[in-house]
Amino acid sequence: MANFWWVIQNGSYQHDLQLGILWAPLRDKAGHRKSHWESLDRVQPGDVVFHYAGQMVKAVSCVSRGSMPASRPYEGGEAWHKDGRCVQTRYAELDAPLPLSEIPLELRKAAVFKGSAFKAGGGANEGYLFDLPTDFGVWLSERLNLLGEPDTNTARDGDSPNDDNSPPAASAYFDETDRKVVVDARREQPTLRDFLFKSKSFSTCAICGRYLPVQLLTTAHIKPRKHCDTIERNDPYVVMAACTLGCDALFEKHFIVVDETGTIQRGWREGTDDVAAAVTAVSGRACAAFTSNTSAYFDSHRFLKTELVGSSV
């Protein structure tokens, strides 16, 4: 099980990014140890790091090698600042950095504990590397669209490790369900999300029409992303706002489809009585995302039945 970390790199971000590392000294000028520096010794290959600088999350990375003794890797610094420890990690910069203000205050306050990354009021603490609660890391992964599909071909515990004992490039498993955090982030996703929500705090689900906080709305691909070419992936009309209260899953899994008139209809996939009730609740509604720009993508979604029958998609 991999862990999540929050690193504050206001002065060292560019240096660390170029070198693909995290680095911290062993002791301060007075000879004292610092827990937020010593936390580097607890980082393991496969752990996921969120990189914070300038009041924004600027990158995410997957650790490739744990802590090792290392001298300060850049110029300057006093004598006490020369000896330290270093972690190697694979960075992926975000096209659209995530401001701290866009992380829910309630989530930040819930992550406050002794030696945590956040102050009681939800602001970022002073220090370097901090443990990040799993639910916080999962929220960030979802917000930055880093969650990939489970890979049933990837080795599990007890299988033969890689030759170099390093984790698979740009991936890490962090829970029992083997949901994968893909560090090679979907680069277009922040742009698509901005197209839908921009600076909004609330918006409307295109399926059910409910007016909701944007944290409960996903940037849902109308045509499944894996079936899109590069141009389509960058087309803002390939996505719509769908709520996490059920509509996103109903559409993605083809329990509902949008017909050629823009009307929501029952899809081809069968479900339980409770699923049928959810489908009935939205069937017959006009999909708010249906326009001349999106109609072809809805057609593609509707015509994927033959390929997807029997799959888990």
Side-chain angles (χ1 to χ4, degrees):
M1 178 177 177
N3 298 310
F4 291 110
W5 300 91
W6 177 276
V7 64
I8 300 175
Q9 296 168 289
N10 290 323
S12 62
Y13 175 73
Q14 288 298 330
H15 295 293
D16 292 348
L17 171 69
Q18 293 172 11
L19 296 172
I21 63 167
L22 304 177
W23 185 89
L26 297 178
R27 299 173 184 270
D28 65 13
K29 188 173 184 179
H32 300 144
R33 299 178 183 273
K34 298 288 186 181
S35 61
H36 57 86
W37 291 341
E38 293 193 324
S39 57
L40 277 171
D41 293 333
R42 295 188 287 111
V43 173
Q44 298 295 319
D47 284 358
V48 176
V49 183
F50 294 98
H51 301 262
Y52 179 79
Q55 301 294 310
M56 296 183 290
V57 178
K58 291 189 172 182
V60 62
S61 71
C62 182
V63 175
S64 56
R65 179 173 293 179
S67 178
M68 298 180 63
S71 299
R72 179 178 167 86
Y74 15 83
E75 297 297 326
E78 302 178 47
W80 64 269
H81 208 218
K82 298 295 185 182
D83 297 327
R85 73 269 285 175
C86 177
V87 164
Q88 293 182 351
T89 188
R90 302 180 180 93
Y91 282 73
E93 284 198 287
L94 303 174
D95 283 350
L98 177 66
L100 183 66
S101 59
E102 291 189 14
I103 301 174
L105 181 60
E106 295 78 9
L107 188 64
R108 285 180 272 145
K109 287 184 175 181
V112 174
F113 52 87
K114 184 178 180 180
S116 75
F118 301 97
K119 302 175 183 178
N125 229 330
E126 295 181 0
Y128 188 61
L129 183 68
F130 302 91
D131 293 277
L132 203 59
T134 299
D135 58 347
F136 200 117
V138 171
W139 186 92
L140 281 173
S141 299
E142 291 176 342
R143 173 63 178 80
L144 300 173
N145 204 41
L146 305 177
L147 294 180
E149 292 301 318
D151 185 353
T152 56
N153 296 318
T154 303
R156 302 294 193 267
D157 292 342
D159 290 346
S160 299
N162 297 329
D163 292 339
D164 61 357
N165 292 318
S166 64
S171 69
Y173 290 91
F174 63 82
D175 64 22
E176 304 81 25
T177 59
D178 290 330
R179 290 283 288 175
K180 186 164 63 176
V181 176
V182 184
V183 177
D184 290 333
R186 296 177 177 183
R187 297 174 63 87
E188 79 278 9
Q189 195 69 12
T191 300
L192 296 178
R193 189 170 178 85
D194 284 346
F195 172 75
L196 291 179
F197 306 120
K198 296 183 181 177
S199 59
K200 296 178 182 177
S201 297
F202 299 88
S203 193
T204 303
C205 174
I207 300 295
C208 67
R210 283 178 285 195
Y211 188 61
L212 300 166
V214 294
Q215 291 86 354
L216 294 178
L217 294 166
T218 66
T219 307
H221 275 75
I222 300 170
K223 180 179 180 180
R225 185 178 184 273
K226 69 178 181 179
H227 294 282
C228 296
D229 59 30
T230 300
I231 293 176
E232 290 173 330
R233 289 184 178 186
N234 286 280
D235 182 0
Y237 293 104
V238 78
V239 294
M240 66 175 173
C243 73
T244 60
L245 303 182
C247 293
D248 179 43
L250 289 174
F251 183 81
E252 179 187 356
K253 304 300 182 184
H254 290 80
F255 288 103
I256 56 175
V257 296
V258 174
D259 69 17
E260 63 278 4
T261 69
T263 303
I264 299 167
Q265 304 284 3
R266 187 179 302 275
W268 53 264
R269 195 182 290 277
E270 296 295 328
T272 64
D273 290 344
D274 288 332
V275 172
V279 169
T280 299
V282 296
S283 293
R285 290 182 55 87
C287 178
F290 185 85
T291 67
S292 59
N293 292 315
T294 62
S295 60
Y297 291 132
F298 281 110
D299 288 344
S300 296
H301 173 267
R302 195 167 61 253
F303 295 148
L304 280 171
K305 176 179 178 179
T306 302
E307 177 179 345
L308 298 179
V309 168
S311 78
S312 60
V313 178

